[in-house]
Amino acid sequence: MDERRTPAEGPPVEDVESVFQVADVRVDDETVYYLGTPLASAEVLERELWGLFRDAGYDVSLTTRAQSSGPFDERPAVEGRFGPTRPQYVLVAEPRSPHIDGIPWTNLVFFVLTVLSTLYVGSIWYYVELDSPLALLEAWPFTAAILGVLAVHEFGHYVMIRYHDVDASLPYFIPFPSLIGTMGAVIRMRGRIPDRKALFDIGVSGPLAGLVATVVVTVIGLFLDPITVPERVASGGGAIRFNDPLLLVILAELTGQPLSYPDPGLAANPVIFGGWVGMFVTFLNLLPVGQFDGGHIVRAILGPRQETVAAAVPAALFGLAGYLYLAQEATNAVVLWVVWGVIAAGLAYAGPATPIRDDPIGPRRRALGVLTLALGLLCFTPVPFEILAG
């Protein structure tokens, strides 16, 4: 480490000592270490010092290091050299990293791969004969629908992340040759969330933005011409039937457009399926558990009581699976909800995101949160899809 000194740009010692008695300050590269004794709990320390360090351009955390009972030595203490060791508390202040530093090559590569995987899956939905690589481009409406919904959802989050100055990555799109060509997108949160308002805004912005995109994509798809199903497919037997959530039915009624056709040689335009995906993703994201969007929203509204709600989510999903097994024998949906019950149980055990300041949010945000969760229910269907025997 560099020689002991008061940091030139870090918070001055006197501002820290209201909750942390500083015995020494050291600097290693750009990281500042305040060695001393805490005068409050870790939660109070973080709440009192987080804003101070953030304004100075640092992220701060409390940790410990081994300290000898004898004279202070910069090297780690060794048992028996000066007697028994005891922990010494250290506030570690690391410079805050920029949101985007240079060209995000990893994000771009994953996005390009996801475009290719959705084009490939889209070519199957459109029954495209892949006689050349350029034939994949015929499926661009499917790719635009799927990635448009997912991108708007994620950038809804990202706008609020930047607004509240939380350190996070750009969205990472995940290519996967599944029914939709992707496993979605994620944003890696690196910084702490300052308060419940920020937690709520970040949580609610993705589903609301994604729902707007979902409605737009669905309405466009409803007005597009149906596609022709090749005779070999129409007479082939086995297929997957996707059941319509209430929101999709409402949009079809409002536009006066059909969701299916009596002629087996015609099928709804795959762009509509992009809207279906947006609704399904919205419902799952709004499950009020862990660090899902719904978990953020309910944690912001209820505070620590959110854990009680989260504990009921796996039970509800397992109960739904049991009902479908006994009442409808919908095997595919049973497996689906059992899997999501297990996922929800793991997320509930891991716990929600905890803001640094835990002051309640206002009534307008609470009302918006309730409305968002209600819109999520419009995207629910007990049996999302069924595999039909040939």
Side-chain angles (χ1 to χ4, degrees):
M1 288 188 181
D2 297 340
E3 59 179 331
R4 292 177 237 179
R5 63 182 178 87
T6 300
E9 297 181 358
V13 169
E14 54 268 23
D15 290 347
V16 175
E17 288 197 313
S18 61
V19 289
F20 189 86
Q21 184 178 354
V22 179
D24 196 8
V25 180
R26 304 190 178 191
V27 179
D28 183 10
D29 293 330
E30 296 181 338
T31 303
V32 185
Y33 300 85
Y34 296 76
L35 293 80
T37 305
L39 304 177
S41 66
E43 292 78 10
V44 173
L45 273 175
E46 185 177 49
R47 186 169 64 247
E48 295 296 323
L49 297 179
W50 181 81
L52 175 68
F53 279 85
R54 174 173 164 149
D55 292 343
Y58 291 89
D59 287 321
V60 65
S61 60
L62 178 67
T63 187
T64 59
R65 70 185 292 275
Q67 172 186 276
S68 168
S69 59
F72 185 82
D73 194 313
E74 290 189 18
R75 294 168 294 180
V78 179
E79 179 77 29
R81 180 176 179 185
F82 297 113
T85 60
R86 64 178 186 271
Q88 181 180 41
Y89 291 92
V90 184
L91 285 175
V92 182
E94 298 178 287
R96 301 187 69 220
S97 59
H99 291 279
I100 303 175
D101 186 12
I103 300 175
W105 288 111
T106 302
N107 303 78
L108 290 174
V109 168
F110 271 76
F111 178 74
V112 170
L113 291 175
T114 306
V115 169
L116 293 175
S117 65
T118 52
L119 282 173
Y120 171 73
V121 172
S123 69
I124 299 173
W125 280 93
Y126 279 101
Y127 308 108
V128 176
E129 295 290 342
L130 295 179
D131 48 7
S132 74
L134 291 179
L136 286 173
L137 296 179
E138 295 182 39
W140 74 263
F142 178 85
T143 294
I146 296 291
L147 295 188
V149 167
L150 295 177
V152 171
H153 179 111
E154 293 302 323
F155 278 101
H157 287 310
Y158 192 74
V159 167
M160 285 294 104
I161 287 170
R162 293 300 303 268
Y163 176 78
H164 289 285
D165 197 23
V166 176
D167 187 17
S169 71
L170 283 168
Y172 290 91
F173 287 84
I174 305 171
F176 189 74
S178 59
L179 287 171
I180 64 175
T182 176
M183 292 184 67
V186 296
I187 291 176
R188 187 163 62 92
M189 300 282 288
R190 295 185 289 255
R192 290 295 306 277
I193 298 175
D195 51 36
R196 280 204 216 175
K197 290 181 180 179
L199 179 63
F200 178 86
D201 293 348
I202 292 170
V204 82
S205 56
L208 288 180
L211 272 174
V212 171
T214 294
V215 170
V216 171
V217 164
T218 303
V219 171
I220 291 174
L222 287 168
F223 281 99
L224 291 176
D225 293 334
I227 60 172
T228 301
V229 180
E231 185 176 350
R232 57 181 172 79
V233 176
S235 59
I240 299 177
R241 181 174 67 196
F242 292 88
N243 296 317
D244 302 326
L246 184 57
L247 180 58
L248 183 54
V249 174
I250 291 173
L251 292 175
E253 290 292 331
L254 291 176
T255 57
Q257 300 298 315
L259 288 170
S260 61
Y261 298 88
D263 183 354
L266 295 177
N269 196 287
V271 170
I272 299 175
F273 181 63
W276 186 97
V277 169
M279 296 174 199
F280 187 60
V281 168
T282 297
F283 171 75
L284 293 178
N285 271 304
L286 286 176
L287 290 174
V289 62
Q291 299 203 30
F292 276 1
D293 297 338
H296 290 337
I297 294 169
V298 176
R299 176 61 177 80
I301 294 173
L302 298 180
R305 289 178 295 166
Q306 182 267 349
E307 294 184 7
T308 302
V309 177
V313 173
L317 293 175
F318 290 137
L320 174 61
Y323 167 77
L324 293 175
Y325 178 77
L326 295 173
Q328 298 189 21
E329 298 182 357
T331 306
N332 302 303
V334 169
V335 174
L336 173 70
W337 297 126
V338 166
V339 169
W340 276 99
V342 172
I343 293 172
L347 291 171
Y349 178 79
T354 304
I356 292 171
R357 300 185 182 94
D358 218 353
D359 300 323
I361 61 175
R364 286 186 296 180
R365 280 186 170 88
R366 287 197 296 268
L368 181 60
V370 172
L371 174 62
T372 303
L373 294 172
L375 290 173
L377 290 176
L378 294 179
C379 300
F380 169 71
T381 179
V383 184
F385 58 87
E386 300 175 72
I387 299 177
L388 306 178

